[in-house]
Amino acid sequence: MFKKILIANRGEIACRVIKTARRMGIQTVAVYSDADARAPFVQMADEAVHLGPPPAAESYLLAEKIIQACKDTGAEAVHPGYGFLSERASFVEALDAAGIAFIGPPASAIAAMGDKIESKKLAKEAGVNVVPGFVGEIRDTDHAVEISDEIGYPVMMKASAGGGGKGMRLAYSEKDVREGFESVKREGLNSFGDDRVFIEKFIEDPRHIEIQILGDKHGNIVYLNERECSIQRRHQKVVEEAPSPFVTDKMRRAMGEQCVNLSHKVGYFSAGTVELIVSGADSTGESFYFLEMNTRLQVEHPVTEAITGIDLVEQMIRVAAGEALPFRQDDIGIDGWAIENRVYAEDPYRGFLPSIGRLVKYQPPVEGWTDDGSANGRRGIDGVRVDDGVFEGGEVSMFYDPMIAKLITWGKTRDEAADKQIDALDAFRLQGPGHNVDFLSAIMQHPRFREGALTTGFIAEEYPDGFEGAPLTDQRRRVLAAVGGVIATLDADRARRIDGQLDGSMPPPGDWVVTVGGTDHQVSLEEDAITVDGDPVVLEMAYTPGERFVEVKLYADADDEDAALIGQYGLQLEPTRTGYAVTTHGAKHVLRILPAHVAPLASHMIEKVPPDLSKLLICPMPGLLVALHVAEGDEVQPGQPLATVEAMKMENILRAEKTAKVAKINAAQGDSLAVDEVILELE
């Protein structure tokens, strides 16, 4: 077994590998850029080596510096994590030449599967179902249109070396192909150094199912069941779960056996994932097709660990050291259900725009996961696990992926795992950059998610006009009104106890008007009772003035000592001028809380009218202006591209919302733009 390994990665995956290596008695070496000098993974490792400036091309992608770090520290092997150099065959070859082991598959398998065009040919030869498409060289945009017309719309254009949702465009028409083909080539070249593109038929009502593969150097390969990754945004996974609510035993076996055959075809060992696209309209489960193979550890690997009890990182290390797998296919089972949500630094209330900045507050619902070596331990604390690599006061950088943390929950059933997600997301305290915690909670509560009726179009179909928060139920409205009355009374009680007030000490008011979602509620507090609009509400909560998080339990009957618990909420409180902004169960609600005798006077307050920004094209996120599509004096139509801004290595096309004329352009191509900076003005 290795005595020391180097982790050629950063963030949460570096932390995760270090934890398992530490349990195995293996020393670790971290490598880091200037942006990560104070990051947790650097502090956790036994040694750390500085690579260079923040851009990955000047630090984490420099294979020669990483190899030199191995030599300088005596590291015998490298774990690549995911992203960066994890799927670069030339890096593995360079390690081999330097006598350093690679904790991953052989270079030949990475090369074979890393090229999406060649991998489809190999998959077909191995007897794996493949999607109809064109896998040759595409000369230009006209050729791309010709191919798309032959295949039949809709089609998907993909960068051959792409991954992580980058370099992909869906086209429903010739116009979409002409508009998107060059952009796909550009993203592929910028992100992967390869501008080749292939086109394939887009499977409608598709589900994204992937099979986890694990093999050793002795020819043993098993599949560790499947993961459902259908809930995606811009082809980036948001929610993953294992097993899939759609996959039957027969379907699982057929998928698994085909994926194992493909793995044998390319001489695969270590952990890997074969991604499949499945027709959700085919109840037989036979319409599944090869999408690609990721020759590395997946972001979502913890859900597989939770249901199988197998530590994938440990097995990767043992396989790299030459050990055989300690189990066979018949030993692989499914225990319970696991769900992973990716907590991203992006603002769902502003069209999921990337968000960067300092984490002013970062408090996950449970302590970070500790690897104790047990299957139950890998499920976290009471079935809640957080994998992260950030810290309070740290910064979400524009240079790397915007993921803040992964939240994994395990339960005996799918509903139990989803319920744990809601409770844990309620308790996730984040301040600073925008984040998607509310959105994730809303998904977990969504009836369609609970039914398991998932497709890759879930987000676009269920939130066509954007996200405005989870719906406010009648029960939640009553709870918020009651809680508003309780905290206002306790705040007033503290205020009245302050000495030296001109009017002396007065009893706190017990009658309030709490406005929730534009509706006024009469809330009355007596010694042992709370009523909302005359109806009793039974709550259990502990609140001390000044607290910013409160746990609330709602019971069914005021007259029953053994009343059933019918609701449980974690409320994050933020004071406002006239009450509190309360975040819970996937939405922020502004509560206006006024004493009952004051509330009628509120109608006389003058409302502030927001400024008209419709004549301005405003940069929605910090980024680079890579293209201006118009000039001063141009007439523009609704939907016409005006500018393209690159942020987090993704290109975002900004379009006209109405017919107008370009009056003034305030930025030039190549400019770095701040959020809300005015790019151009319309008239």
Side-chain angles (χ1 to χ4, degrees), residues 71-382:
K71 293 177 179 178
D72 292 344
T73 60
E76 305 157 85
V78 171
H79 194 299
Y82 47 74
F84 296 142
L85 297 171
S86 62
E87 294 180 282
R88 188 168 294 184
S90 60
F91 177 55
V92 181
E93 291 167 349
L95 287 173
D96 288 343
I100 301 166
F102 180 69
I103 303 175
S108 57
I110 294 175
M113 292 293 100
D115 186 316
K116 288 185 172 62
I117 294 173
E118 292 303 315
S119 67
K120 286 186 180 298
K121 294 178 181 177
L122 284 169
K124 193 170 184 179
E125 291 172 9
V128 181
N129 303 341
V130 296
V131 180
F134 184 86
V135 294
E137 195 77 22
I138 300 176
R139 298 186 301 274
D140 51 28
T141 301
D142 288 337
H143 190 202
V145 169
E146 180 184 328
I147 292 166
S148 301
D149 288 342
E150 290 177 2
I151 294 173
Y153 295 99
V155 298
M156 180 68 80
M157 299 177 289
K158 296 183 182 180
S160 179
K166 298 179 180 68
M168 301 173 72
R169 287 290 188 281
L170 179 59
Y172 286 94
S173 65
E174 177 182 332
K175 176 177 177 292
D176 292 341
V177 175
R178 292 192 179 280
E179 186 176 291
F181 180 72
E182 289 299 327
S183 182
V184 172
K185 289 188 67 175
R186 196 160 52 240
E187 282 190 9
L189 185 62
N190 291 342
S191 295
F192 310 104
D194 186 342
D195 68 351
R196 290 178 302 155
V197 175
F198 71 95
I199 299 176
E200 66 184 10
K201 178 71 176 175
F202 179 71
I203 306 299
E204 298 192 75
D205 294 328
R207 299 181 79 116
H208 187 119
I209 309 292
E210 58 188 31
I211 299 293
Q212 176 68 59
I213 292 295
L214 185 62
D216 61 26
K217 296 179 180 180
H218 306 278
N220 303 307
I221 302 177
V222 298
Y223 62 90
L224 305 181
N225 307 311
E226 80 285 350
R227 294 184 290 257
E228 171 103 41
C229 308
S230 295
I231 298 183
Q232 305 176 5
R233 194 188 63 76
R234 293 186 66 173
H235 315 296
Q236 187 83 28
K237 298 166 189 173
V238 177
V239 181
E240 298 105 346
E241 60 182 307
S244 164
F246 181 71
V247 173
T248 63
D249 290 341
K250 179 182 177 182
M251 186 178 177
R252 180 177 298 116
R253 185 167 54 255
M255 287 178 165
E257 289 175 354
Q258 284 195 16
C259 295
V260 167
N261 289 341
L262 175 61
S263 301
H264 279 298
K265 175 78 175 176
V266 295
Y268 201 88
F269 54 77
S270 194
T273 295
V274 180
E275 301 199 354
L276 305 168
I277 192 165
V278 183
S279 173
D282 183 0
S283 59
T284 67
E286 295 177 357
S287 299
F288 62 87
Y289 305 97
F290 174 80
L291 200 58
E292 63 181 332
M293 185 173 189
N294 292 313
T295 53
R296 55 170 168 79
L297 190 68
Q298 293 281 91
V299 176
E300 57 272 22
H301 73 273
V303 294
T304 295
E305 294 183 329
I307 66 164
T308 62
I310 295 171
D311 186 325
L312 286 168
V313 171
E314 177 183 351
Q315 292 304 318
M316 290 180 74
I317 295 172
R318 293 190 180 281
V319 166
E323 295 185 17
L325 294 180
F327 42 76
R328 294 294 180 266
Q329 191 62 58
D330 290 344
D331 301 320
I332 309 302
I334 298 177
D335 181 9
W337 213 287
I339 299 174
E340 175 180 295
N341 275 309
R342 301 189 187 189
V343 179
Y344 280 123
E346 62 182 14
D347 191 346
Y349 295 100
R350 298 184 65 193
F352 299 94
L353 295 173
S355 183
I356 61 175
R358 192 164 303 284
L359 284 166
V360 178
K361 171 73 72 176
Y362 178 72
Q363 186 175 322
V366 296
E367 292 293 324
W369 171 67
T370 301
D371 187 358
D372 65 1
S374 71
N376 197 52
R378 279 186 285 279
R379 294 169 179 165
I381 300 171
D382 296 326

Side-chain angles (χ1 to χ4, degrees), residues 472 477 514-521 589-592:
L472 181 60
R477 182 189 297 274
V514 181
T515 305
V516 185
T519 302
D520 291 344
H521 298 277
H589 308 279
V590 178
L591 309 186
R592 189 184 69 179

